[in-house]
Amino acid sequence: MAPMDEDQPDVAAVVEATADDIATMEIRGAATIGDAAAEALATQAERSDAATPAAFRDQLRAAARELYETRPTAVSLPNALRYVLRGIEGETVEELRESTIASAEEFRTDLEQAQEQLGEVGANRLRDGDVVMTHCHSTDALSCVEAALDAGKEIEAIVKETRPRKQGHITAEQLREWGVPVTLVVDNAARRYLDDADHVLVGADSIAADGSVINKIGTSGLAVNARERGVPVMVAAQTIKLHPDTMTGHTVEIEMRDESEVLSETEYADITGGDRTDEGLTVENPAFDVTPPRHVDAIVTERGQFPPESIVTLMRELFGETTGEPWEV
Ligand SMILES: O=P(O)(O)OC[C@H]1O[C@H](OP(=O)(O)O)[C@H](O)[C@@H]1O
């Protein structure tokens, strides 16, 4: 356990480690982040030394808050926390512990199943011989390719590198493992290579109630170019990516990451002639952007595919009208 602080509920060291890993992107990708958060809450429950049910619940809430404060954009994180916390029931610490662990397990199983089901739906959009263009690395998007391959279709991929963190390399590695021919291109080459693509296939970190897709920076430009070239844009997103707060007018916060991901110390020094405090040079590093619904052809979920404008009906069905912070359940 972390060092004791009289006012702070005890959060397990492993929860803090998971939170760190999410913040530094050792653990990344919206679904993977949700999965890791659920696992961390189960571990918190397992290791809790709370003497009373109230203390146990306080610890769980504190753990959820710590995990929540890591990255702001992927709604899979608060949705996962909310799901697990809602499943906690019982009168004694032991009952609470068991129900937390069971709730986290249920969430993680559902997540895996949802991704498989989504893959089946997405694969129906892919024909034998199709070429997909990908951006970043999305396990939901790759699940569609995997299901298409399992159905005996041949698929090729044009993989965008995805600066600054080059998650395209992870996508390329996975696709090559499956035997998919990959053409890796720098982001700036995407428009040129759209002529060779039958689909743009991306994931999502959050989907807003109006059907906007919040995904890795560069997605919106890609979608605009794809629309101009007549290439359909398919977004693979489990329902855990639906952002409930957007039903009541909230916007999705776009994470700004450190400038060091864009520019190394040496590169910075080269530009400024060694002046580390040059106020005339600003580096911005937004991790995500918003693609409006008019540039998206289909959102593929485990509940079927939706035109982006109709996704709000699914959101109402799943979440009702309102939600609070995950620990306010
Ligand atoms: O849930 P899955 O489909 O795996 O990933 C969804 C999205 O998460 C990633 O964000 P980051 O690399 O964590 O910043 C990408 O934006 C990707 O499209």
Side-chain angles (χ1 to χ4, degrees), residues 46-241:
E46 255 163 35
R47 306 208 177 158
S48 169
D49 56 2
T52 65
F56 180 92
R57 283 185 183 276
D58 280 350
Q59 287 180 354
L60 254 291
R61 279 191 210 106
R65 213 179 270 248
E66 189 148 342
L67 292 160
Y68 178 74
E69 279 161 5
T70 51
R71 295 190 73 195
T73 305
V75 75
S76 47
L77 175 55
N79 281 349
L81 299 170
R82 198 175 285 117
Y83 183 107
V84 176
L85 294 185
R86 277 201 178 134
I88 303 178
E89 53 190 20
E91 302 302 320
T92 65
V93 169
E94 241 358 271
E95 285 168 1
L96 294 173
R97 193 191 316 276
E98 275 167 27
S99 63
T100 309
I101 294 167
S103 179
E105 256 173 36
E106 192 180 279
F107 172 80
R108 299 183 72 199
T109 309
D110 281 3
L111 193 71
E112 214 182 301
Q113 273 172 10
Q115 191 165 78
E116 239 182 85
Q117 286 161 2
L118 167 157
E120 302 286 335
V121 177
N124 290 333
R125 292 182 64 89
L126 306 178
R127 293 156 307 175
D128 189 25
D130 273 357
V131 178
V132 297
M133 181 179 282
T134 65
H135 183 57
C136 200
H137 168 257
S138 155
T139 54
D140 280 354
L142 284 175
S143 172
C144 302
V145 176
E146 189 178 22
L149 296 172
D150 286 349
K153 298 174 191 174
E154 284 188 17
I155 304 292
E156 290 184 30
I158 300 166
V159 172
K160 288 180 77 236
E161 184 182 40
T162 320
R163 276 274 289 156
R165 294 186 68 109
K166 298 187 182 163
Q167 291 98 324
H169 292 192
I170 310 171
T171 301
E173 186 185 342
Q174 177 63 82
L175 290 170
R176 286 306 302 133
E177 224 176 282
W178 291 336
V180 173
V182 168
T183 304
L184 186 79
V185 297
V186 297
D187 297 307
N188 290 338
R191 188 161 180 271
R192 176 186 168 113
Y193 282 88
L194 272 171
D195 288 340
D196 302 332
D198 299 295
H199 310 263
V200 164
L201 170 59
V202 296
D205 293 81
S206 284
I207 306 275
D210 69 350
S212 296
V213 172
I214 295 88
N215 193 46
K216 184 57 52 194
I217 188 81
T219 304
S220 63
L222 177 62
V224 169
N225 283 332
R227 172 50 47 100
E228 184 241 352
R229 293 279 161 124
V231 182
V233 176
M234 161 179 175
V235 176
Q238 299 179 57
T239 54
I240 196 181
K241 315 285 179 62

